[in-house]
């Protein structure tokens, strides 16, 4: 994983400068109109600027030209700060995109006339390769584009995409037949059918995603935009109607001045949800960016959001819940056999066995009984490997013939050799199987020595993690090809809520449909072509980068690390994105109350002096009060940029607790924080001699 | 004495709660919420027996389910037809029977205003009650609309609830069936019951003509022109008053509304009328809990309403039971302390038989619900007391609110609250298992914003039109309150009048009619649309990761959302009206009272 625990969330000063520059470029109204809140503020800024210019040019009016100019500056600052936030988020994405783009160096590809290695080769620039072209890639070549291996086996260095330095094997057929453009073949050769036209490759998609070039608003963003646009409309009406109200009040009270346009514009910018309106795009971009940092490529922002909603996780047992390989855990000798003898025999039978199970037997024998590794050559022994016919393995030496294998195989072997199987061996085997482990029977000639228990080892800490997920309302379902007995035992040990044993792709698909029918949103990971239907059905489908093209196309995310545990991280990123959005919206709305306390007494004080008693902050003057509120409103956007980019703190807690905490921090905090801040800005303005 | 006043308030509230608890199961049984074929049960059969002849007569039997679009169209057509019929009755008044006082045709502007007012459950009365409308017009026109407008409010609530309960459903019920069921199955029996009790207490119910009686105090007349006799209008009052309260309509038979001794003669009828106007909106919440299969949900929404209601009740009762500082400054001093003769407190514009506490409770009840009946003149309340009444209206009539529409409106607020809070728990928002998405948000915002915007813009128009701004009787901030209150009342379908406003000009009658129609239809139709779009969705399973919508915290959140929107929209306007008036320095002893 390429988590850069970066130099501060904002990055280096150059990035800040560049974002600041772009903030001005983004003032283009054709761009601004995409965000209705900020667009209205920009229109207000233009109008007030024109007013300020007109007053400076000698037009008559009640408000002081300098005050109008100051309000105009405040409005512009609000818009520019919001643009800055978006530019910062995009800048971070762009840095990633640049890194990706560097891998896409133009190379000359060896285009083949036919899908055979010995076909005629034509040197073609990689940018001109079309879908269904065939290319030959030999050791040292860069893979010119996304494709499917049709012939050959090779080791490929995919670190440019995944950050993982260990080379992987790519071969035709099966689930390891895809190659990604920009990776490098280290050994041997491949014939590859190109599957993407120029500009449509995986890398291209990834670059455009992280750059936010093709960013579309997600459904949730659209709904929030509607809410914010509605509120903006109300506040526009509230401020606009204050002009006639104040005209009436002036005539009714017989004193004071109707509100000026600058004060109304100031009130509007303070009330409109500029904080969330300005930070909304940045939050969305930052969410996708966090996904990319976790080495997950989402095909859309929508997928990232859906990840937050998921409440059923289908997790492959192997690799996610267990370490993937069964390991020997106990030696269970038959009657009359010492455990040490059994261990000794088992170790001998496994010395040359390079399977993970075999190696784990050797390790266990050493750990438990101190039996050192012996050199099979010097023992003059002959290793008998596992074959599909015999279905057992072992070793022959000194006239001894030690075999280990599944129960029925060894039983048959022993009976053929004229021996008998003690009844307790059957009992031990049954017990082991019932506990979810696999019994491996060891025989020396016609004598059964005992049983080795092979267990799936559940990853440390995974049970706690599932516990957390359960508290958040997320069910975990273990998917395994094991028999139900084994599956149940591991499920119990790992603490998953449910399991699917002897899983077939069809059973997976049916299970997803059933959960969805009950109203759940399902996430899963998959890599094989046969996973594709289930991936297409799931709400969040994470394809392993090592998987087939079909799996990647069916999924809506690709995990570049091909790490099934990543699903948990993906859910966290999705939830954090939504939480950030909600928290900043709450904060933005809660802020408004304080601004009324600043502006209403200032604006109406000349008409009804008694309203000055609402000025709880005891601000210096009406001018400083209005300007302090406007300044706070603008600065709070900048102040929250790191929060928008980093996301609010995420903890796996039940919804009720999360609501309580976030409401306290962002709701109550948003209500109270502006009071001291506005007071401080007011004192600052007064100190600067503003009256 | 003050203790007694508070005790009275508490007793009325307890009586209301009991009444609502009794009505809730009845109300819940009226509508079939789920699509599942009805199990032939006893309850189903009596409703069917009741509705079948009417629906058959109307040509909509057998009943088939409607889509949200068809349902909304039916509501629209129904309102339009109601308005046209009501205008016709008023214009044809002199030609129609049962017009003992030979009242002329109602002027066009007033007729249109009144028709819009009664069809929209607003019951703003720009006409002069018994002096403008004949008993026939009152009965066949107004009282019928009182039933139907309340019933159509319940229909909207039923659609919204069906949206939340049904899954993958294209239809949201049948408007005609819902309308008939709520009218005949619920409102009519309740109104008959209440009408009989009210009549027993002295509320007039008569088909007779006006009575001429000599003045009691014959010594009074001195000048030759002063009358010696008084005409006392009577009519079918109890029947209209019962549904005016129950259906949160508020349009009284008499111009003086529930302050009139024939409409509200005793403290007991006063109690009954308060209970009646609060019962159905509260029972709606409890019925909602039954409909969605989780009574906690209904109680939570009721708690949110109560949280918004009780503090304001405290403020207004406190304000009105205090002696008025302005009257205290008048010489010779006016007795405002409690004694055997009266309860004490600020009695200006209040009836002696009710006293300030019960009047204040009536005022906050009638503005919190969209009833709008009055038993005291809100114009004469203390500035803060008047502001409470006004603000309860401006909160969008969702604190209890209108029959059906109040809870439906609060659910729209709840969707907004859920939307923001749901995001804060890291899920895309959902309410009762239904995802809240762009369409719900769009329609929900229309429901929230139309009344706000209509109120603000209407008041602004009145302020800038010099001819109309002078319609306000009082100068200064109080005059502004009068303008603001009128538009708040119309644009939230409340219908109560602050008073002090001459609202008979073309501007007022037509703009208020427009505000009433806009805020009724542009909240009802989007609510039906929300119901339709929710019904089509699948229901998301509940888990600990789901935002709980029945907890005290959530109640706080919903109430907070209502207050925040209400405060942010109206604080500046209220500052120029009642707040400026309340904070106004008191006149020195030599100064006069309120002009």
């Amino acid at each position: 994983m390429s988590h850069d625990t970066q130099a501060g969330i904002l990055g280096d000063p150059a990035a800040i400068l560049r974002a600041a520059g772009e903030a001005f470029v983004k003032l283009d109204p054709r761009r601004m109109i995409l965000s209705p809140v900020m667009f209205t503020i920009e229109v207000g800024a233009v109008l007030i600027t024109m007013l300020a210019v007109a007053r400076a040019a000698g037009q008559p009016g009640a408000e002081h030209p300098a005050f109008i100019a100051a309000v105009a500056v405040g409005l512009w600052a609000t818009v520019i700060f919001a643009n800055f936030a978006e530019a910062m988020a995009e800048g971070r994405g762009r840095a990633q995109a640049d890194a990706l783009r560097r891998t896409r160096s133009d190379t000359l590809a060896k285009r083949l006339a036919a899908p055979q290695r010995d076909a005629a080769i034509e040197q073609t620039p990689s940018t001109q390769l079309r879908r269904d072209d065939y290319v030959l890639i030999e050791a040292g070549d860069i893979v010119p584009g996304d494709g499917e291996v049709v012939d050959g086996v090779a080791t490929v260095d995919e670190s440019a995409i995944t950050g993982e330095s260990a080379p992987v094997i790519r071969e035709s057929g099966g689930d390891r037949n895809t190659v990604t453009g920009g990776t490098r073949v280290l050994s041997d050769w491949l014939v590859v059918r190109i599957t993407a036209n120029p500009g449509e490759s995986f890398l291209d998609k990834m670059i455009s995603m992280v750059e936010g070039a093709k960013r579309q608003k997600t459904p949730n963003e659209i709904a929030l935009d509607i809410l914010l646009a509605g509120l903006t409309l109300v506040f526009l009406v509230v401020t606009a109607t204050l002009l006639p109200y104040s005209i009436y009040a002036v005539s009714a009270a017989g004193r004071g001045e109707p509100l000026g346009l600058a004060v109304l514009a100031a009130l509007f910018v303070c009330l409109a949800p500029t904080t969330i309106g300005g930070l909304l795009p940045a939050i969305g971009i930052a969410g996708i960016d966090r996904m990319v940092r976790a080495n997950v490529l989402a095909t859309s922002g929508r997928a990232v959001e859906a990840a937050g909603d998921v409440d059923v996780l289908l997790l492959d047992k192997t690799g996610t819940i267990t370490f993937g390989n069964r390991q020997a855990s106990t030696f269970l000798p038959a009657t009359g056999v010492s455990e040490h003898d059994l261990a000794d025999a088992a170790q001998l039978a496994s010395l040359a066995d390079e399977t993970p199970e075999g190696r784990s037997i050797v390790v266990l024998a050493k750990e438990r009984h101190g039996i050192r590794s012996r050199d099979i050559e010097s023992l003059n022994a002959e290793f008998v490997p596992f074959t599909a016919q015999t279905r057992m393995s072992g070793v022959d030496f000194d006239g001894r013939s030690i075999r280990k294998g599944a129960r029925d195989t060894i039983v048959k072997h022993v009976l053929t050799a004229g021996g008998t199987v003690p009844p307790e061996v059957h009992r031990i085997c049954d017990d082991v199987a019932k506990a979810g482990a696999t019994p491996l029977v060891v025989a020396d000639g016609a004598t059964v020595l005992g049983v080795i228990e092979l267990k799936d080892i559940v990853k440390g800490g995974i049970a706690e993690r599932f516990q957390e997920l359960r508290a958040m309302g997320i069910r975990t379902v273990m998917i395994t090809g094991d028999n139900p007995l084994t599956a149940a035992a591991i499920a119990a040990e790992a603490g998953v809520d449910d399991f699917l044993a002897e899983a077939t792709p069809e059973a997976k698909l049916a299970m997803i449909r059933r959960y969805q029918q009950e109203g759940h949103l399902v996430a899963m990971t998959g890599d094989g072509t046969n996973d594709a239907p289930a991936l297409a059905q799931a709400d969040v489908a994470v394809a392993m980068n090592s998987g087939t093209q079909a799996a990647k196309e069916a999924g809506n995310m690709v995990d570049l690390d091909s790490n099934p545990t990543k699903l948990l991280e993906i859910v966290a990123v999705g939830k954090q994105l939504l939480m950030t959005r909600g928290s900043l919206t709450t904060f933005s709305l809660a802020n408004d109350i304080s601004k009324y306390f600043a502006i209403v007494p200032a604006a109406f004080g000349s008409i009804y002096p008694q309203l000055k008693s609402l000025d709880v902050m005891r601000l210096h003057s009406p001018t400083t009060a209005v300007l302090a509120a406007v300044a706070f409103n603008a600065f709070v956007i900048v102040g929250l940029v790191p929060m928008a980019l980093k996301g609010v703190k995420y903890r796996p807690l039940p919804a009720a607790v999360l609501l309580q905490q976030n409401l306290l921090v962002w709701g109550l905090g948003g209500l109270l924080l502006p009071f001291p801040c506005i007071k401080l800005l007011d004192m600052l303005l007064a100190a600067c001699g503003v009256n | 004495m003050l203790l007694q006043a508070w005790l009275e308030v508490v007793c009325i509230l307890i009586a209301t709660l009991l009444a609502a608890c009794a009505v809730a199961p009845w109300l819940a049984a009226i509508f079939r919420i789920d699509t599942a074929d009805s199990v032939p049960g006893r309850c189903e059969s009596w409703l069917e027996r009741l509705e079948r002849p009417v629906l058959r007569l109307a040509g909509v039997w057998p009943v088939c389910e409607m889509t949200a679009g068809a349902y909304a169209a039916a509501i629209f057509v129904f309102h339009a037809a109601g308005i046209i019929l009501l205008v016709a009755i008023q214009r044809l008044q002199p030609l129609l029977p049962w017009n003992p006082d030979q009242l002329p045709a109602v002027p066009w502007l007033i007729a249109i205003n009144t028709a819009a007012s009664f069809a929209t459950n607003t019951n703003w009365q720009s006409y002069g009650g018994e002096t403008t409308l004949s008993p026939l017009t009152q009965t066949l026109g107004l009282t019928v609309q009182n039933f139907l407008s309340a019933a159509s409010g319940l229909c909207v609530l039923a659609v919204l609830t069906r949206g939340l309960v049904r899954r993958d459903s294209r239809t949201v019920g049948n408007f005609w069936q819902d309308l008939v069921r709520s009218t005949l199955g619920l409102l009519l029996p309740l109104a008959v019951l209440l009408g009989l009790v009210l009549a027993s207490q002295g509320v007039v119910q008569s088909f007779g003509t006006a009575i001429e009686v000599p003045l009691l105090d014959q010594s009074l007349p001195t000048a030759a022109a002063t009358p010696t006799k008084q005409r006392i209008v009577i009519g079918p009052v109890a029947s209209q008053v019962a549904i005016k309260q129950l259906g949160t309509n508020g349009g009284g038979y008499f111009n003086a509304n529930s302050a009139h001794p024939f409409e509200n003669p005793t403290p007991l009828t006063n109690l009954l009328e308060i209970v009646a106007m609060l019962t159905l909106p509260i029972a709606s919440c409890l019925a909602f809990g039954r409909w969605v299969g989780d009574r906690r949900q209904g109680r939570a929404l009721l708690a949110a309403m109560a949280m918004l209601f009780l503090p304001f009740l405290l403020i207004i009762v406190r304000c009105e039971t205090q002696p008025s500082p302005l009257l205290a400054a008048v010489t010779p001093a006016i007795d405002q302390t409690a004694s055997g003769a009266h309860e004490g407190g600020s009695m200006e514009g209040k009836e002696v038989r009710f006293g300030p506490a019960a009047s204040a409770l009536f005022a906050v009840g009638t503005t919190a619900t969209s009833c709008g009946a009055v038993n005291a003149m809100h114009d004469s309340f203390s500035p803060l007391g008047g502001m409470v009444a006004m603000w309860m209206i401006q909160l969008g009539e969702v604190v209890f609110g209108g029959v059906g529409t109040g809870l439906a409106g609060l659910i729209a607020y709840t969707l907004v609250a859920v939307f923001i809070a749901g995001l804060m728990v890291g899920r895309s928002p959902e309410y009762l298992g239904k995802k809240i998405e762009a369409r719900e948000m769009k329609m929900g915002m229309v429901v929230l914003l139309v009344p706000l915007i209509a109120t603000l813009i209407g008041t602004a128009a009145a302020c800038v039109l010099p001819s109309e701004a002078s319609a306000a009787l009082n100068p200064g901030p109080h005059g502004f309150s009068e303008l603001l209150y009128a538009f708040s009342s119309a644009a939230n379908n409340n219908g109560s009048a602050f008073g002090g406003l001459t609202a008979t000009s073309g501007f007022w009658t037509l703009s208020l009619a427009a505000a009433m129609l806009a805020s009724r239809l542009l909240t009802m139709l989007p609510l039906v649309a929300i119901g339709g779009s929710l019904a089509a969705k699948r229901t998301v399973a509940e888990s600990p990761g789901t935002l709980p919508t029945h907890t005290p915290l959530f109640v706080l959140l919903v109430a907070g959302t209502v207050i925040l929107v209400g405060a942010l929209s109206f604080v500046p306007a209220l500052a120029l009206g009642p707040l400026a008036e309340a904070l106004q320095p008191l006149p020195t002893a030599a100064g006069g009272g309120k002009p």
Side-chain angles (χ1 to χ4, degrees), chain A residues 349-368:
Chain A
S350 308
L351 275 177
D353 183 353
E354 281 303 312
T355 63
E357 286 95 343
R359 262 178 283 160
S360 77
I361 294 172
V362 176
V363 169
L364 185 72
K366 186 177 176 187
E367 279 177 0
R368 290 281 173 81

Side-chain angles (χ1 to χ4, degrees), chain B residues 476-549:
Chain B
H478 197 76
F480 180 74
S481 301
E482 291 171 349
L483 304 179
L484 181 62
Y485 193 104
F487 271 100
S488 303
S489 176
N492 289 284
N493 295 139
N494 180 277
S496 69
F498 203 46
L501 183 76
T502 316
T504 47
S505 74
F507 168 80
W508 284 101
T509 46
L510 292 181
S511 64
L512 290 179
M516 291 187 275
L517 283 171
S519 97
R520 172 78 165 181
L521 291 173
L522 291 183
T523 53
M524 275 186 147
L525 302 184
L527 283 168
V528 170
I530 293 177
S533 104
L534 288 178
K537 295 184 188 208
R538 65 180 196 188
T539 304
V540 181
E542 202 186 325
S543 78
T546 313
L547 174 76
T549 52

Side-chain angles (χ1 to χ4, degrees), chain A residues 4 6-24 26 80 83-96 98 289 293 641 645:
Chain A
D4 51 344
Q6 72 258 90
I9 191 75
L10 291 174
D12 56 289
I16 296 181
L17 271 180
R18 195 161 77 153
E22 274 170 37
F24 286 90
K26 282 172 180 286
I80 289 166
N83 286 347
F84 170 74
E86 189 177 343
M88 277 305 296
E90 284 176 352
R92 273 155 50 101
R94 197 171 302 119
Q96 304 234 356
D98 288 345
D289 189 53
R293 270 159 211 262
V641 167
L645 298 186

Side-chain angles (χ1 to χ4, degrees), chain A residues 25-375:
Chain A
V25 178
K26 282 172 180 286
L27 289 174
D28 182 348
R30 284 166 301 180
R31 276 196 55 105
M32 292 294 299
I33 198 145
L34 294 175
S35 165
V37 183
M38 298 318 292
F39 180 71
T40 47
I41 304 296
E42 189 181 27
V43 171
V46 170
L47 291 178
I48 298 302
T49 308
M50 281 159 54
L51 183 70
V53 170
R55 291 279 285 109
Q59 288 282 322
E63 289 171 308
H64 196 282
F67 173 70
I68 300 174
V71 170
V73 169
L75 293 175
W76 283 116
T78 310
V79 180
I80 289 166
F81 288 166
N83 286 347
F84 170 74
E86 189 177 343
M88 277 305 296
E90 284 176 352
R92 273 155 50 101
R94 197 171 302 119
Q96 304 234 356
D98 288 345
L100 288 168
R101 207 176 269 123
R102 275 197 289 280
T103 67
R104 199 179 52 174
S105 47
D106 279 353
T107 48
L108 276 182
K110 299 165 186 161
R111 189 161 74 177
L112 293 168
Q116 289 137 16
R117 193 190 174 191
D118 47 7
I121 289 174
E122 186 194 342
Q123 296 283 345
T124 313
S126 60
T127 47
Q128 286 174 23
L129 287 175
R130 311 292 304 177
R131 180 189 267 266
D132 292 330
D133 280 348
Y134 291 92
V135 291
L136 175 68
I137 311 165
E138 292 172 304
D141 288 351
I142 300 251
V143 177
D146 291 2
E148 211 171 74
V149 180
V150 293
D151 197 10
V153 184
T155 50
V156 179
D157 171 14
E158 294 194 337
S159 58
I161 299 287
T162 63
E164 181 68 49
S165 56
V168 292
I169 296 196
R170 293 287 175 243
E171 59 193 340
S172 61
D175 288 347
R176 294 159 170 259
N177 66 350
T178 58
V179 287
T180 313
T183 56
R184 181 185 292 271
V185 171
L186 294 178
S187 70
D188 305 288
W189 55 270
L190 296 170
V191 174
V192 167
R193 184 176 65 83
I194 296 294
T195 51
N197 286 328
E200 295 169 10
S201 76
F202 187 60
L203 203 61
D204 292 318
K205 278 191 224 159
M206 199 157 156
I207 290 170
S208 70
M209 264 316 279
V210 294
E211 275 192 325
K214 283 198 202 153
R215 195 174 79 247
Q216 285 186 323
K217 284 185 182 172
T218 64
N220 180 260
E221 269 180 310
I222 292 171
L224 186 54
D225 257 342
I226 292 170
L227 174 76
L228 298 180
L231 290 174
T232 307
L233 181 65
V234 172
F235 293 131
L236 199 59
V237 173
V238 167
T239 41
T241 51
L242 277 183
L243 183 59
Y245 295 174
S246 65
I247 291 173
Y248 181 95
V250 166
S251 77
R255 64 169 172 264
E257 290 284 341
L259 297 192
L261 286 180
V263 170
L264 290 175
L267 183 59
F268 174 62
V269 74
C270 285
L271 294 181
T274 49
T275 311
I276 179 63
L279 293 174
L280 193 55
I283 295 170
I285 300 168
I288 292 177
D289 189 53
R290 276 198 296 279
M291 248 352 159
V292 174
R293 270 159 211 262
N295 259 0
V296 175
L297 175 66
T299 54
S300 66
R302 188 185 192 130
V304 181
E305 262 172 27
D309 282 352
V310 157
D311 60 351
V312 174
L313 299 185
L314 301 192
L315 301 167
D316 278 329
K317 182 198 79 176
T318 308
T320 312
I321 296 169
T322 65
F323 281 110
N325 302 306
R326 289 174 300 184
Q327 296 179 357
S329 56
T330 335
F331 294 112
L332 302 160
T335 332
V337 182
S338 79
E339 198 178 322
H340 187 274
D341 289 346
L342 172 62
D344 187 57
Q347 191 243 23
L348 277 171
S350 308
L351 275 177
D353 183 353
E354 281 303 312
T355 63
E357 286 95 343
R359 262 178 283 160
S360 77
I361 294 172
V362 176
V363 169
L364 185 72
K366 186 177 176 187
E367 279 177 0
R368 290 281 173 81
H369 302 283
I371 302 169
R372 306 271 299 272
S373 184
R374 288 164 279 193
D375 182 19

Side-chain angles (χ1 to χ4, degrees), chain A residues 498-540:
Chain A
D498 198 0
F499 64 89
L500 180 66
E502 289 167 356
T504 58
E506 296 76 38
K508 259 195 209 182
L509 184 61
M511 182 174 225
I512 294 174
R513 291 218 170 112
R514 200 179 69 238
Y515 272 118
Q516 287 176 337
Q517 200 64 41
E518 290 168 13
H520 295 282
L521 277 101
V522 183
M524 69 169 285
T525 59
D527 54 2
T529 300
N530 57 12
D531 281 332
L535 283 169
Q537 180 73 34
D539 299 285
V540 170

Side-chain angles (χ1 to χ4, degrees), chain A residues 234 245 309 472 519 578 596 610 662, chain B residues 424 428 449 456 541 545 568 580:
Chain A
V234 172
Y245 295 174
D309 282 352
M472 292 164 65
L578 294 172
Y596 269 142
Q610 65 263 36
N662 284 330
Chain B
M424 273 198 289
S428 62
L449 300 192
L456 290 170
L568 294 179

